[in-house]
Amino acid sequence: DQQVKQNSPSLSVQEGRISILNCDYTNSMFDYFLWYKKYPAEGPTFLISISSIKDKNEDGRFTVFLNKSAKHLSLHIVPSQPGDSAVYFCAARRRGAGSYQLTFGKGTKLSVIP
Amino acid sequence: ETGVTQSPTHLIKTRGQQVTLRCSSQSGHNTVSWYQQALGQGPQFIFQYYREEENGRGNFPPRFSGLQFPNYSSELNVNALELDDSALYLCASSSGTGTGSEKLFFGSGTQLSVL
């Protein structure tokens, strides 16, 4: 039972355009959401997060949107750069969890074409 | 400031054997968690240690065990290895009490192959 779903295994975008990565979740107990980026042979790197009490969080070129009623979040990258090419993981934390237990999606491989 | 380091980077074992993976936390971090990432999947939470005590565990059998040392480094032990244990094992450290929203810092992982 996959509680965090990233239904697009891959995405290709032209340099300078917007990249939109999507994530859906099923567990209404999730209260905090994060995006991680992973390059080959490296561990995941934290990118941006959002609490369930917000619907938008912005950090430079990266913006995360949360739609709680739809149990959906998205990551927007504007403008996309070739260095953004990586696998992006959506992750969620359950409310009341006494640990940093994160539930990850399977990831979306983003390719930014120069 | 040193990041999270894991050793070894690659390991090959045979079914039934035991393995120990090691992790050094980022400087100043007192919480460490371990994740298993199978091919084509996202990382899956194994367990977390805070101040040398396990304070969270995912859906993994008891043959997966761990330790955290006073210097906050950690070990992951897997007994009676099975073919399905082949995966990338990621260690992540963080600061705080283990209940906040502090972000995790991941190591590069240990790639375990079980033959």
Side-chain angles (χ1 to χ4, degrees):
Chain A
D1 176 30
Q2 225 185 329
Q3 299 184 58
V4 176
K5 301 177 184 179
Q6 295 178 256
N7 292 320
S8 298
S10 62
L11 175 68
S12 289
V13 173
Q14 287 284 337
E15 179 180 3
R17 306 294 291 268
I18 185 172
S19 295
I20 300 177
L21 294 93
N22 294 303
C23 177
D24 297 294
Y25 62 96
T26 58
N27 191 336
S28 57
M29 295 293 287
F30 288 143
D31 69 341
Y32 199 77
F33 303 90
L34 308 91
W35 285 93
Y36 281 83
K37 177 171 72 173
K38 187 179 187 299
Y39 294 118
E42 294 183 13
T45 303
F46 171 78
L47 193 57
I48 192 169
S49 62
I50 187 167
S51 166
S52 60
I53 62 174
K54 296 185 176 182
D55 55 18
K56 177 182 174 181
N57 189 28
E58 197 169 350
D59 184 2
R61 297 187 296 116
F62 303 91
T63 303
V64 57
F65 295 92
L66 175 62
N67 182 334
K68 283 179 62 180
S69 61
K71 292 190 174 68
H72 176 84
L73 63 156
S74 60
L75 173 68
H76 293 211
I77 306 174
V78 183
S80 300
Q81 300 174 352
D84 296 329
S85 296
V87 177
Y88 289 77
F89 291 100
C90 172
R93 190 196 69 184
R94 184 174 55 85
R95 182 182 308 124
S99 65
Y100 292 128
Q101 178 175 346
L102 298 179
T103 301
F104 283 83
K106 291 186 177 183
T108 296
K109 184 176 182 179
L110 174 66
S111 299
V112 180
I113 304 162
Chain B
E1 181 181 87
T2 57
V4 179
T5 57
Q6 293 186 243
S7 62
T9 55
H10 295 84
L11 200 53
I12 299 175
K13 291 286 189 177
T14 56
R15 193 170 46 183
Q17 284 189 312
Q18 179 266 343
V19 69
T20 297
L21 311 181
R22 294 179 174 83
C23 172
S24 293
S25 302
Q26 182 161 317
S27 176
H29 286 182
N30 56 12
T31 302
V32 64
S33 40
W34 287 89
Y35 286 78
Q36 179 197 66
Q37 186 180 8
L39 192 63
Q41 304 293 316
Q44 188 173 359
F45 178 75
I46 302 175
F47 44 55
Q48 177 181 293
Y49 280 81
Y50 171 64
R51 291 184 175 177
E52 303 176 54
E53 297 283 334
E54 183 182 298
N55 74 336
R57 189 176 185 93
N59 189 26
F60 279 82
R63 60 189 185 84
F64 285 78
S65 63
L67 281 173
Q68 186 182 30
F69 300 100
N71 66 354
Y72 304 129
S73 65
S74 177
E75 287 182 354
L76 164 65
N77 298 290
V78 187
N79 293 322
L81 283 167
E82 300 177 359
L83 297 179
D84 285 348
D85 295 333
S86 296
L88 179 68
Y89 288 85
L90 295 163
C91 171
S93 73
S94 53
S95 60
T97 62
T99 59
S101 57
E102 294 88 339
K103 54 192 177 188
L104 297 177
F105 293 81
F106 283 88
S108 298
T110 293
Q111 185 66 54
L112 173 64
S113 298
V114 182
L115 306 179

